[in-house]
Amino acid sequence: MISLNVNGKEYKADVAEDASLLWVLRDHLKLTGTKFGCGIGECGSCTVHVDGKAERSCGMTVVK
Ligand code: FES
């Protein structure tokens, strides 16, 4: 079980630590505002802020 703070709200998800941040946001937390585009870090449609820095969530694991 992992815990995430997204936009000031605490969430828990029963996922592996190496799960994709994008798919944890979309599929587990139902935060579908984060979009899937290319899946290879090129298009930017999955961009989220992580600790104040813009990151491509498709290329990140949910736990750094
Ligand atoms: S889906 Fe295109 S950069 Fe992540």
Side-chain angles (χ1 to χ4, degrees):
M1 184 73 70
I2 58 129
S3 297
L4 297 97
N5 183 309
V6 181
N7 296 332
K9 183 174 177 184
E10 291 294 327
Y11 294 89
K12 293 192 183 303
D14 189 12
V15 298
E17 291 187 356
D18 62 351
S20 163
L21 176 58
L22 172 62
W23 294 110
V24 171
L25 291 170
R26 288 187 56 83
D27 288 355
H28 293 271
L29 305 185
K30 307 301 182 196
L31 299 173
T32 56
T34 307
K35 304 300 184 191
F36 175 73
C38 65
I40 57 171
E42 294 290 330
C43 72
S45 63
C46 66
T47 301
V48 295
H49 281 150
V50 177
D51 298 328
K53 183 177 175 199
E55 301 277 5
R56 306 289 202 248
S57 62
C58 69
M60 293 186 73
T61 57
V62 69
V63 175
K64 288 189 207 176

